[in-house]
Amino acid sequence: MRASRMRGMTLAARPAIVISTAVTAWKATVDRHPLLMTAAELRCLRELLGLSTRALAAAIGRSERNVARWENGQQRLARDTAEALAELADYTDAAVDALVAAAPDTISVYRNDGEFRAHEDTGARVLSAAWHRMVAARAAERIPGAVITYHDE
């Protein structure tokens, strides 16, 4: 649907964007050939993962400058970078699935990165509170009646 036709619609009337389907479609691009990923596809993936440019760079062990270059189409992705992105997408999907499997009535999220890192163990991965909130939102869509609150409420 064109953006101009969506402007006057309520959120409930807008077509749903299925995040897991978009990530799966992106992974198929990586499997075909990671260098075929467009700058726009990378930005969409980053946003689907709930990460800022800085947070994505930290999560895959690259520089923020490189991420910006990839998103601006100034530099192509290397295979190892595409593989790191696919691994991060897989990790994210697994985190959503684990939360859905636990099926909590209330899902706690964090207001900022400091709180998130103080309470959650992501191993060697450097992830953000925004990433965690995105995981919670995706899981809440699949858990009937689930409510998202801040961990300190």
Side-chain angles (χ1 to χ4, degrees):
M1 180 174 286
R2 295 181 59 177
S4 61
R5 292 173 58 200
M6 288 179 56
R7 279 195 197 109
M9 299 173 76
T10 65
L11 285 177
R14 291 181 183 183
I17 297 173
V18 180
I19 292 174
S20 59
T21 302
V23 171
T24 301
W26 174 81
K27 283 190 225 174
T29 300
V30 173
D31 291 341
R32 259 193 346 264
H33 197 296
L35 302 180
L36 295 179
M37 179 182 232
T38 67
E41 287 171 330
L42 174 62
R43 183 173 183 175
C44 288
L45 176 65
R46 177 180 59 75
E47 290 173 350
L48 285 171
L49 292 173
L51 298 172
S52 66
T53 304
R54 175 177 289 160
L56 177 63
I60 63 171
R62 306 303 190 273
S63 75
E64 186 176 355
R65 186 174 177 182
N66 279 344
V67 173
R69 285 180 179 161
W70 299 326
E71 286 190 2
N72 290 326
Q74 297 170 341
Q75 185 175 328
R76 303 274 259 153
L77 287 177
R79 179 169 289 282
D80 64 332
T81 300
E83 289 169 355
L85 288 167
E87 185 179 302
L88 178 59
D90 286 341
Y91 180 82
T92 300
D93 288 343
V96 172
D97 291 343
L99 194 50
V100 170
D105 294 332
T106 302
I107 301 171
S108 296
V109 297
Y110 304 94
R111 297 175 195 271
N112 59 55
D113 292 347
E115 288 179 359
F116 170 64
R117 292 187 184 117
H119 292 89
E120 298 291 330
D121 179 17
T122 58
R125 295 182 187 281
V126 180
L127 297 169
S128 65
W131 173 86
H132 186 260
R133 289 188 299 268
M134 178 276 308
V135 166
R138 283 178 52 190
E141 287 178 341
R142 295 170 42 194
I143 303 170
V147 175
I148 299 173
T149 63
Y150 287 115
H151 82 284
D152 58 359
E153 292 181 342

